[in-house]
Each structure stands twice: as C-alpha cells, then as structure tokens.
Amino acid sequence: MEFATDAAGLAWVNLCSRVTSRVVVRVASFTATGFPELEKQARRVSWERWLPEGALVQLSVVCRKSRLYHSGAVAERVAGVLEREVGAEWVKGAADADTDDGDGRIAGAAPLSGDSYSGTDSVRDVQRVLVRIFRDRVTISVDASGELLHRRGYRQAIAKAPLRETLAAALVQGSGWTGTTSLVDPFCGSGTVCIEAAMMARRIPPGRARTFALELWPEFRKEALISARERGEESISTAALPPIVGSDRDEGAIQAARANAERAGVSPDIDFTRKTISEVTAPVGEAGTLLTNPPYGVRVGEERALRDLYARLETVLRAEFQGWKVGLLVPQRGLIDQLRLGHEWRIDTNNGGIRVGLAIATVSARGRAANGR
C-alpha cells in the first residue's frame, strides 16, 4: 500500500495502524544498470534529513531481474555513500526476514545485540535503509517504524504457537466484529485475539507504549508525534464493553494471557479462564462472534491427532453458539472441511510458515451451519 502524507500523518499511522508490519518512506527512485549510476544517484539523496551523523545503519537489499543482481555488492556501494555523506556505519549481518519480497536475493544486517523492543526502551540508534532493484529500477526507502509494528510491547508472556498481534487484529477486522456484541476465543493461548479486540473496541492506539525510528530523523518534527500521542489518548473510550471471553486448556497460557492483558491496559475488559473446548459456553445475551486460531497440522501437532478436537468443536458450536458468527484461522483445506460450516474465505496469509485463511460462517438456529455472507 502506498500513500502520501506529512509528518503528522506518518506519526499517526505508526502509532495507530493495527495491521501494518512496517512503514517506510521512499526517498529516491531511479534507473541504474551499473554501479557508477547507482552511486551517483544515491549521493543525490538528502541523507542528512533521514540519518543522524554517525548513525548505525542496517541495509536490506533485494535485486530481481536486473543487471545489478549481486545484492551484497549493491549494499557495499550504498554503504560507502552513506559513510561519505553522513559518516554512517554499516552494521553487517543477515537481513531481517520481513524485508524479503519473495524470490529476491538479500544482503543486510541483523539486529544488534540487545536490539529487542520491550515497550520501555529509548529509541535505538540503528536505522534501516531498504534498497529494492527490479528490472533495473532502484527504489531506496528509510524505515520509519524501527521494530516491526506487531511488537506493541504488551506480549512479554507467550504460549504455544503464538499469533502475531497484527494478524490477530486483522482477524478481528476481517470477522466484522465491531465491539458491540460478545467475542469468544476458545483457543486463546496467550490472549492476543482477545487483547487486540479489546484494544480496538477501546480505540487504544496499538503503538502507545513504544518508540519509532522516525524519532531520530534530524528533520522529523517531534511535536508531530507528541500531538499524535495526545490525540490517541483522547480518543480512548471508557464505555462498557460487551463480554470478551478467552479460554484455553493450558493454565500456563491463561496466566500469560492475563499478564499480557494487564500490560495492554485491557485486563478488566477480558475474562480469561482455563477450560477445555467441551466446557466452553456462550455468554448470556445476543449472538456474537467466536473468533479463534485453533491448532492445525504441523504447527502444533499432526492432523490425525486433531480430528477429535475438531469434532468436539463442531459439537460445541452447534449446541452453544447457534446464530453466532464463527471465524477460524485455518489451512484452506483439511480439518476445516470436517466442521461442515459452509464457510467463505477472508484473508489469505501465512502463519508460522503455513498458508492459512480466515474461514467465516454463521451457525444457524436449525443446528446447521449457514454461509457467513
């Protein structure tokens, strides 16, 4: 997704985007078929706007279908330009996995020792520069986010097969849940789906407890981020929420979920309880949404061992959740067919290296599942 904005807008999207992994700013785009052209054009970038003098820089380079095909050599040339222009030091190593476009070759740098976001650290002095070359067209961008935006800072305790915060938020949005009816997650793990749902209903900015790379840019107006934070805090709702219920058979997962919810500021809004799937019941009141990331295949265990679990899930859905919308993040074939939900697919993505989608259905009052459309 591309968009044009100013400093205020850039601060706001980093602070408040729930499903974005990283925000980068394009600083140059040009054609280069050789290293002299690459270096000449790179020197034209006003690096002093984006990098402080003597900055530590991570370089992520992807080259595809171009005469400049050696990503390591490209990284060396760009690093040389940054050293001459602003005295930047290239931190060499393996590139972040999230920066790969697919089948390109990458050269870059791994996070420095201790470069992990805790939610309370000051802005780190490592800046990321991304170089993409496709069919001889070079695009250079600087990272405005720093740590990936799914790292909100609250999920310090995790359970088995954790779900990224951004993906959990995407599930909530994709399900159509608006915060006006109950939400249940019977395989809640460390509570990410419930926590993201409560934060969304409360309009809590997901980035409120973290810092961003743009804060170190020499020309970034710090008051833009201060204003965005103030605006975000003012938008938080204090109205009562409908029941948000998370359960898991693992007591350790429930303890982790409660601790994470406390750090996220939504502990009073969520009821986390240890239950097996057979013990799950719907909250009293009108029908709501059951939204979950159940175990599947190689991610947690073998498919054959899970068939009984899915059979019990189907029994619970038909007995307890008639009229409810059901959203399951599952592989697009296999166990989901066992539930006979008559589902439709929303969201096509990867989770733990497995291709998955969000299956949406509505359990009819007649005990059969109707298509969610």
Side-chain angles (χ1 to χ4, degrees):
M1 176 182 174
E2 297 183 6
F3 62 95
T5 189
D6 55 11
L10 187 60
W12 184 254
V13 73
N14 272 282
L15 182 69
C16 296
S17 178
R18 300 187 186 278
V19 299
T20 303
S21 292
R22 190 188 292 287
V23 180
V24 301
V25 176
R26 183 176 300 167
V27 300
S29 182
F30 52 86
T31 298
T33 58
F35 291 120
E37 293 172 277
L38 174 67
E39 293 180 273
K40 178 181 178 181
Q41 295 291 343
R43 286 195 298 270
R44 292 180 175 177
V45 177
S46 300
W47 291 110
E48 69 279 0
R49 297 181 56 194
W50 312 104
L51 301 177
E53 184 70 26
L56 295 176
V57 175
Q58 288 185 334
L59 281 170
S60 170
V61 180
V62 174
C63 304
R64 300 172 60 189
K65 301 177 182 179
S66 298
R67 275 167 278 192
L68 288 173
Y69 62 87
H70 195 290
S71 55
V74 170
E76 289 178 359
R77 298 315 196 277
V78 175
V81 171
L82 297 180
E83 182 180 7
R84 289 190 296 271
E85 296 296 317
V86 292
E89 178 183 347
W90 178 23
V91 185
K92 298 181 181 180
D96 293 332
D98 71 283
T99 59
D100 189 6
D101 287 349
D103 60 353
R105 299 174 60 192
I106 305 177
L112 295 175
S113 175
D115 186 26
S116 59
Y117 178 69
S118 68
T120 58
D121 294 342
S122 61
V123 181
R124 294 171 306 280
D125 58 357
V126 178
Q127 300 285 294
R128 292 175 175 88
V129 175
L130 298 83
V131 182
R132 298 290 180 266
I133 307 180
F134 180 68
R135 298 189 187 279
D136 299 329
R137 190 67 184 173
V138 181
T139 301
I140 299 180
S141 305
V142 292
D143 173 29
S145 302
E147 287 283 352
L148 292 173
L149 293 177
H150 77 270
R151 294 173 183 169
R152 323 284 204 212
Y154 69 77
R155 199 179 70 175
Q156 298 176 25
I158 61 174
K160 200 172 186 179
L163 191 68
R164 277 193 173 194
E165 296 89 326
T166 45
L167 180 52
L171 298 186
V172 177
Q173 292 182 357
S175 74
W177 187 75
T178 60
T180 58
T181 59
S182 298
L183 184 138
V184 173
D185 181 356
F187 301 102
C188 71
S190 53
T192 313
V193 168
C194 292
I195 292 171
E196 290 295 322
M199 291 179 66
M200 194 176 303
R202 287 250 173 258
R203 299 195 296 274
I204 295 175
R208 70 188 303 206
R210 56 163 290 164
T211 53
F212 306 100
L214 55 77
E215 295 179 63
L216 278 183
W217 292 354
E219 290 194 10
F220 180 75
R221 295 187 295 105
K222 291 180 172 58
E223 59 270 22
L225 183 57
I226 294 172
S227 177
R229 291 191 187 280
E230 292 174 349
R231 177 183 165 197
E233 293 300 309
E234 291 171 357
S235 73
I236 296 175
S237 172
T238 58
L241 298 185
I244 300 176
V245 180
S247 60
D248 199 283
R249 68 177 184 177
D250 183 354
E251 179 62 30
I254 294 302
Q255 294 301 323
R258 289 171 179 164
N260 290 335
E262 182 71 28
R263 280 185 288 270
V266 293
S267 180
D269 300 317
I270 308 172
D271 177 18
F272 285 118
T273 308
R274 194 204 70 78
K275 288 182 180 179
T276 66
I277 185 61
S278 299
E279 296 173 316
V280 172
T281 58
V284 176
E286 63 179 301
T289 298
L290 185 147
L291 183 64
T292 192
N293 174 38
Y296 44 79
V298 296
R299 188 177 65 91
V300 173
E302 295 301 322
E303 181 176 320
R304 184 174 300 176
L306 295 173
R307 290 191 177 277
D308 181 58
L309 177 65
Y310 275 66
R312 280 179 281 152
L313 173 59
E314 181 184 10
T315 299
V316 169
L317 290 178
R318 300 191 190 286
E320 297 289 336
F321 292 89
Q322 294 180 359
W324 279 57
K325 180 181 289 186
V326 177
L328 306 174
L329 183 70
V330 288
Q332 296 193 11
R333 60 180 181 179
L335 290 166
I336 183 62
D337 298 323
Q338 181 176 322
L339 297 178
R340 298 171 293 174
L341 289 175
H343 54 273
E344 64 166 313
W345 289 107
R346 300 178 190 170
I347 303 178
D348 180 16
T349 187
N350 282 290
N351 184 33
I354 300 174
R355 200 70 187 173
V356 295
L358 175 61
I360 296 289
T362 300
V363 181
S364 75
R366 297 188 299 275
R368 295 177 298 176
N371 190 282
R373 264 177 285 201

